[in-house]
């Protein structure tokens, strides 16, 4: 048998991908180089792993080492989620694959003046108007909170949904009301693709500007910019129908919205735009430092992907 | 107009010839073309009516998230599955077989 040449896998750009896929009940493995879900009775489904932004693994899945390796090589984020997408645990790609981006993000977050600029930019993009002058981050967050509650109420009214407040109990998922369940399922979809984008761009999910102290603080910051144009109206619209299977309906609708609004293509440019509001440049390589001994491979993917 | 691919298995020669009227046969049983929606639906009707014991899959470019959609007719071990709006294909082992 002739030696077959080694062909490295190249990650695709986020904008060229499908948003997400939820997998449950089955073994996820690699067979003949392909990423497969093996269900009961040997039923096999090929998952086009490289063309998906993130794979949400629901309860009942087992992933093999080879599958995780393949997902990593093609830059696809694996997210371990609980029932109906309520986040339990996540991994797949460590954050901050690019030290220049990470240091840039950290510098913006550490300096109060720069952080305020970034937060003001987020506010401006979300509400379509400049943030009131001379407000601290704390005050802006208060204004934002009030506006968000108001937006929830307005949208609930528009779709005819009874809305008390955003509330859920992750230990007692079934006790949440239908609108809150829909909202959790919808935001889970958005957080998944946002985390994939943050990582792909080479930033750290934990270093937030408005949110702080959570593993996904920055993901929440960025997702909030998109939330009320994409997934929140979907959640209310589905909740109003009170369907038999709200999670599935929500995911279908989220997929449509992400496609219609071209969300995957927008997230990374939006991250760059928001961080650029700090008006500083990512750090240059210090003259005394050394580049990697073996230069990194040319990539057709995103900066944060660990391309071979 | 969008690209369409038709793959046939075990279909009668009269359908093979018929498909070659509108599409290019690039390999045995594999047809490719660029057609409008109306033409595609007309071709699909021919497929379903002339299929006999064979099986056919037709895939075409469209405005879904994956950028294409597909439909099948006839019995095949690969069956379409819907994963929350994303359409994939599952491979079923033959009944009684402990396939690998």
């Amino acid at each position: 048998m002739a030696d077959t040449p080694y062909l490295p896998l190249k990650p695709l750009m986020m904008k060229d991908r499908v948003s997400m896929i939820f997998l449950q009940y089955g073994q996820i493995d690699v067979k003949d180089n392909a990423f497969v879900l093996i269900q009961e009775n040997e039923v096999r489904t090929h998952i086009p792993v490289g063309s998906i932004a993130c794979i949400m693994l629901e309860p009942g899945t087992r992933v093999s080492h080879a599958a995780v390796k393949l997902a990593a090589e093609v830059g696809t984020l694996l997210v371990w989620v609980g029932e109906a997408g309520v986040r339990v645990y996540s991994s797949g790609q460590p954050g901050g694959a690019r030290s220049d981006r990470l240091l840039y993000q950290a510098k913006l977050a550490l300096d109060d003046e720069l952080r305020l600029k970034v937060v003001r930019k987020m506010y401006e993009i979300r509400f379509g108007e400049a943030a009131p002058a001379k407000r601290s981050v704390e005050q802006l967050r208060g204004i934002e909170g009030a506006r968000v509650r108001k937006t929830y109420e307005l949208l609930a009214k528009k779709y005819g949904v009874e809305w008390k407040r955003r509330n859920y109990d992750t230990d007692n998922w079934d006790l949440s009301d239908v609108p809150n369940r829909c909202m959790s399922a919808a935001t889970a979809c958005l957080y998944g693709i946002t985390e994939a984008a943050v990582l792909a761009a080479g930033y750290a999910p934990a270093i937030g500007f408005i949110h702080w102290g959570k593993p996904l603080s920055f993901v929440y910051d960025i997702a909030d910019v998109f939330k009320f144009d994409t997934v929140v109206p979907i959640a209310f619209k589905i909740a109003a129908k009170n369907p038999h299977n709200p999670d599935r309906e929500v995911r279908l609708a989220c997929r449509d919205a992400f496609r219609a609004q071209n969300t995957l293509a927008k997230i990374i440019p939006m991250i760059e735009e928001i961080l650029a509001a700090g008006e500083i440049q990512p750090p240059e390589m210090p003259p005394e430092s050394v580049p990697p001994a073996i230069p990194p491979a040319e990539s057709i993917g995103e900066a944060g992907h660990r391309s071979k | 107009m969008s690209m369409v691919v038709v793959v046939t298995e075990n279909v009668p020669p009269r359908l093979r010839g018929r498909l070659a009227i509108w599409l290019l046969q690039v390999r045995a049983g594999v047809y490719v073309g660029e057609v409008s929606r109306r033409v595609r639906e007309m071709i699909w009707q021919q497929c379903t009516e002339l299929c006999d014991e064979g099986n056919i899959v037709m895939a075409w470019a469209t405005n879904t998230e994956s950028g294409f959609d597909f439909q099948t007719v006839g019995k095949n071990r690969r069956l379409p599955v819907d994963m929350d709006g994303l359409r994939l294909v599952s491979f079923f082992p033959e009944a009684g077989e402990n396939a690998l």
Side-chain angles (χ1 to χ4, degrees), chain A residues 196-274:
Chain A
V198 166
L199 291 168
Y203 296 103
I207 305 179
F209 293 82
I210 298 171
H211 294 86
W212 202 89
K214 293 264 185 79
L216 297 179
S217 299
F218 190 49
V219 172
Y220 302 143
D221 280 358
I222 298 299
D224 277 353
V225 173
F226 293 93
K227 205 181 227 171
F228 291 91
D229 299 329
T230 52
V231 299
V232 173
I234 287 171
F236 281 123
K237 199 191 279 180
I238 305 290
K241 292 197 286 181
N242 202 2
H244 177 64
N245 195 342
D247 309 334
R248 196 188 121 79
E249 297 276 323
V250 164
R251 287 172 197 169
L252 274 164
C254 284
R255 186 185 296 290
D256 288 344
F258 294 152
R259 173 176 56 82
Q261 300 186 26
N262 212 1
T263 310
L264 278 176
K266 283 186 192 161
I267 302 179
I268 293 180
M270 184 67 84
I271 294 172
E272 308 284 352
E273 188 188 338
I274 286 169

Side-chain angles (χ1 to χ4, degrees), chain A residues 39-81:
Chain A
Q39 287 156 301
E40 274 179 81
N41 306 324
E42 301 285 330
V43 175
R44 281 200 221 158
T45 309
H46 282 188
I47 312 294
V49 58
S51 322
I52 298 177
C54 64
I55 297 181
M56 314 287 245
L57 303 170
E58 291 187 281
T61 51
R62 301 166 70 116
V63 196
S64 75
H65 183 283
V68 172
K69 174 172 178 271
L70 180 55
E73 277 180 346
V74 295
T76 299
L77 182 66
L78 298 177
V79 186
W80 278 260
V81 295

Side-chain angles (χ1 to χ4, degrees), chain A residues 161-180:
Chain A
V161 174
E162 195 189 333
W163 178 256
K164 294 181 201 78
R165 67 196 173 94
R166 184 78 180 105
N167 179 33
Y168 55 90
D169 182 349
T170 45
D171 296 326
N172 274 311
W173 171 244
D174 290 328
L175 293 182
S176 311
D177 58 14
V178 173
N180 265 296

Side-chain angles (χ1 to χ4, degrees), chain A residues 18-19 21-23 37 41-48 248 251-252 255 259, chain B residues 63-66 81-86 88-93 98-100:
Chain A
V18 208
S19 55
I21 187 166
F22 284 78
L23 300 180
L37 173 72
N41 306 324
E42 301 285 330
V43 175
R44 281 200 221 158
T45 309
H46 282 188
I47 312 294
R248 196 188 121 79
R251 287 172 197 169
L252 274 164
R255 186 185 296 290
R259 173 176 56 82
Chain B
N63 185 26
T64 59
E65 213 191 7
S66 20
V81 287
D82 185 297
M83 299 240 179
D84 299 312
L86 190 66
L88 298 177
V89 168
S90 285
F91 187 63
F92 287 80
N98 208 354
L100 254 177

Side-chain angles (χ1 to χ4, degrees), chain A residues 8-11 295-301 307-308:
Chain A
L9 284 164
K10 299 285 185 187
E298 223 174 85
S299 175
I300 55 163
S307 185
K308 278 196 183 171

